[in-house]
Structures are given as structure tokens and as C-alpha cells.
Amino acid sequence: MKTFRYLVFFILTCAVFSSCNDKSRHDKNNNQHTQQPANGIYYWRTVLDSDSAEQHFLQTNNVRKAYVRFFDIVVDKSPIAMDSVVPDASLQVKSKMQAQEIIPTIFITVDAIKKMRHNEAKWAEKIVKRICNMCSYNEIPEPREIQLDCDWTRKTDSVYFNLCREVKKELQSRNSHAKVSATIRLHQLLQTPPPVDYGVLMLYNTGSFENPEEPNSIISVSNIRPYLKNLADYPLHLDYAYPIFSWNLVYDSDRKFKGLINSGAGIPDNILTHVSSNSYEVAKDTVINKAYLHKGDIIRKEDAPFKTIMEVKELIRQNSRDDNFSIILYHLDKKNISNYTDDEFKQIYK
């Protein structure tokens, strides 16, 4: 399924794409994961500036690992483009994050991966160099891990896998022992794993947001269960990422998907008429955060219920071959963490 992250949250310049000092078989024996389990969180905003509530969350839940989105890699569609792909939406650091380890995470679009074919080593060097420059500039410790996030398919896996290998080689050429990890989507469990140290299975965006009849596209037990039948045989260590976010999906009067409105946008209740379950009809034309809502549009409000998260956790327990894994939440935001109690977070991380 196509990742939705880049729709949810959209300075170093592109010119700074420029310092930090074998096709492997995937079987249970040569993919030993020696890293100890640790509570983790994704940080998926363009400005690193966590407030007191977010810092309290990190400390209270002993969050040791923060997977921080440093930048995206996208196709450069400019008519005066100097290169086929460029970094986009680079992180601006305004405050320190109180986590023991910051893991630079890079989101790469599928179109960008296609453009990297036959030049994976070049792009790996640029990606690692940019990460190291950003860490140095912002006084972030040299990374002990880099994570690559891409919704690769069978048509693009060879390029993406080569990129993963080249990133590892580039790190080694800099005398870095940093690990390379990758996000794994549910449909990718049926494919050969990437040549990385470990993967993070994304247990969110599990349904079709384009389907107006989908009860909850963020997380659903019925959508996840079929993919876990062969989880114990997946030949790469997996950690698990759960959602704690919410959003509003918008459909027109013909029930065609129009787009997404962040749940924090604050859609006035007085323009909504309850239709069924978590669906509402727009009663009059209005504008929310530059998004035009027309009378007759349908809004489906979705979140990640605590009960559902715990049910999915039980599915993982039943199907995983071991319990030596970390739990990571997506993503750190004051509104997101306000959706759950302290006790619920303790149970999720347990």
C-alpha cells in the first residue's frame, strides 16, 4: 500500500546535497539482530521543536529511540532541474530532543527510486553525506543507524535493494558502524526482504483510504490478519510500528476520494451532519486550512483506537517467532499523545 506519510506533513537547501566520519541471503541464521528492544517514536514533522508535553511523554515512557525524518527524496520536476532527484522538506532543528538516540529517517518516493537506477552508489553517497552534514550542523551525535523508508515493489526492489547496499558501503567507507534499517509494509512481507540489518513493520495505513466503505483505513485487525500468516518465517528481524494519529478523509457527493484534512484542523461541528458511525456530511460550503469543502461532501473521521492496537499486538504475539522486538509509535505530536492515557501508553509499549 502506498505510504500516506508525505500527504500528512508536507534550512538546508538542495545545493547542500553534500561531513560524518553483497547481495546477502535472507535466512534466519545470517540475519541475527543483536540490538536490545527499546521504546521508540517517529517524528514526522519538518521542524524539530518538541514542546514540554512531548518531552514529558518521551521521559515518562522511557523512549530511547527517535526515528526523525530528516528529508524526503523526490523527483525534481523543475524545468531547470540540475538533477533527476532532489532532497525535499528538510528538517529544521529548533530544539533538542530528549531521546537517547536520534535515527535519521529518509522517505524516498517510488518515482525517485526509479530515477536512481544504475546510479545507486552516487545517490547513496549523497544521502549519507547530507545526513552527516545535517547532524554536524545541528550538533546531533553521529548516527548509529539510518533508516530508509520507501514503498518499493517488485518492479523497483532491485534498485531499492542496491541503494540499501550502497548506503551500507558508504557508511563503512567513512569508518562508521551505523546500521541500516528499512520500513516494511504489510504487502512487502510476501516479497524478498531488503538487504538491511532489520526492518520495521508498519502496522498502519492498512486499508484503502479511497474506498468510501472502508471503516478505518488507519488500522484494522481484519486488514492486518491475512498478512501475518507467514510472519514467523519472514527471514529478517522485525520491530513493530503502531499508529497513534488521526485524520479526516474527504469524499465528494459521488463518494470519490478528494483528500485529507489533518485532525488538528478543527472542522466546526455546526457544518457537519452525522450520517453513520464515523461519517459526516458537510451541510454547507466552507474552507478548512485552504481545503474547500462543498455541501454534500462526506467526511470520515478516523483514529487508532487503543483496543484495536492491543488486538493487533496480540496478533503479532501469536504469529511472531520471538518476543525480542521493539515497539515504535507513529508519530510524536502533542495532539496525538493526548488521545491516550499514560496507562494506555504503558500497555502499548509493554
Side-chain angles (χ1 to χ4, degrees):
M1 77 209 74
K2 187 176 181 181
T3 185
F4 214 90
R5 289 177 170 177
Y6 58 90
L7 294 176
V8 185
F9 303 96
F10 261 87
I11 265 193
L12 294 168
T13 66
C14 295
V16 184
F17 219 126
S18 65
S19 302
C20 69
N21 287 336
D22 33 50
K23 192 166 186 175
S24 57
R25 296 177 184 174
H26 298 285
D27 56 56
K28 296 179 184 178
N29 295 322
N30 66 359
N31 275 297
Q32 296 299 321
H33 185 68
T34 58
Q35 188 169 280
Q36 292 299 313
N39 293 350
I41 192 81
Y42 278 102
Y43 189 95
W44 218 255
R45 288 138 62 183
T46 55
V47 178
L48 180 54
D49 189 17
S50 51
D51 64 14
S52 58
E54 294 163 356
Q55 296 288 9
H56 177 75
F57 168 86
L58 296 174
Q59 295 170 3
T60 301
N61 293 284
N62 190 28
V63 176
R64 291 169 49 196
K65 289 188 168 188
Y67 295 77
V68 178
R69 189 205 63 82
F70 268 40
F71 53 89
D72 303 338
I73 300 292
V74 302
V75 172
D76 191 346
K77 298 181 180 179
S78 168
I80 58 171
M82 299 294 290
D83 220 328
S84 55
V85 302
V86 292
D88 184 52
S90 293
L91 181 73
Q92 299 179 52
V93 179
K94 290 193 174 181
S95 67
K96 301 290 185 182
M97 175 173 281
Q98 301 302 315
Q100 293 184 25
E101 182 179 355
I102 289 181
I103 299 170
T105 303
I106 313 304
F107 173 72
I108 310 171
T109 68
V110 175
D111 287 340
I113 280 292
K114 293 176 182 177
K115 294 287 186 180
M116 292 181 185
R117 190 177 296 276
H118 306 309
N119 292 292
E120 295 91 339
K122 179 183 78 170
W123 295 115
E125 180 184 5
K126 290 187 175 185
I127 289 170
V128 173
K129 190 174 184 178
R130 186 176 180 82
I131 290 171
C132 293
N133 284 348
M134 291 178 67
C135 287
S136 176
Y137 180 81
N138 293 291
E139 300 180 342
I140 295 173
E142 179 180 332
R144 289 182 283 174
E145 178 184 334
I146 290 174
Q147 184 166 108
L148 303 177
D149 175 22
C150 180
D151 191 5
W152 49 271
T153 65
R154 283 191 171 91
K155 291 184 178 181
T156 56
D157 61 0
S158 62
V159 183
Y160 177 62
F161 289 10
N162 283 338
L163 179 68
C164 292
R165 294 188 192 95
E166 294 297 338
V167 167
K168 190 74 171 178
K169 289 179 183 177
E170 179 63 25
L171 288 166
Q172 292 170 346
S173 74
R174 294 167 177 264
N175 296 319
S176 170
H177 299 287
K179 296 180 179 180
V180 177
S181 62
T183 53
I184 307 294
R185 288 150 182 80
L186 287 168
H187 71 89
Q188 293 168 342
L189 285 175
L190 306 177
Q191 303 173 38
T192 302
V196 293
D197 293 292
Y198 73 96
V200 175
L201 184 62
M202 296 167 54
L203 296 165
Y204 52 93
N205 299 344
T206 62
S208 172
F209 52 83
E210 294 184 346
N211 179 8
E213 305 304 322
E214 175 72 60
N216 191 329
S217 64
I218 293 178
I219 184 169
S220 163
V221 173
S222 60
N223 287 337
I224 293 173
R225 180 181 282 110
Y227 290 97
L228 302 184
K229 291 183 294 185
N230 300 315
L231 181 63
D233 296 321
Y234 190 70
L236 179 68
H237 175 87
L238 291 173
D239 290 338
Y240 298 96
Y242 294 87
I244 57 171
F245 63 91
S246 56
W247 59 26
N248 301 302
L249 303 179
V250 184
Y251 303 83
D252 64 20
S253 56
D254 293 324
R255 303 302 186 263
K256 291 183 180 179
F257 179 69
K258 291 179 62 176
L260 175 149
I261 297 178
N262 193 298
S263 60
I267 302 176
D269 290 337
N270 61 2
I271 71 161
L272 299 178
T273 301
H274 186 252
V275 177
S276 62
S277 184
N278 57 342
S279 294
Y280 300 80
E281 183 175 339
V282 177
K284 64 179 182 179
D285 294 353
T286 190
V287 179
I288 304 292
N289 279 13
K290 298 182 180 180
Y292 288 87
L293 300 179
H294 297 93
K295 182 179 180 180
D297 285 353
I298 296 296
I299 293 178
R300 189 170 77 223
K301 297 184 176 184
E302 295 184 348
D303 57 15
F306 169 72
K307 179 183 177 189
T308 305
I309 293 174
M310 297 306 291
E311 288 174 349
V312 174
K313 276 193 65 180
E314 177 61 18
L315 277 181
I316 296 298
R317 188 195 66 79
Q318 294 172 3
N319 290 277
S320 176
R321 65 172 174 258
D322 63 55
D323 58 1
N324 187 41
F325 54 78
S326 296
I327 289 177
I328 309 161
L329 302 184
Y330 182 86
H331 66 97
L332 184 63
D333 179 86
K334 180 168 61 177
K335 184 181 186 309
N336 292 344
I337 60 179
S338 70
N339 293 331
Y340 307 87
T341 67
D342 289 344
D343 183 63
E344 286 174 337
F345 276 123
K346 285 180 171 57
Q347 293 186 59
I348 292 171
Y349 273 127
K350 184 176 180 181

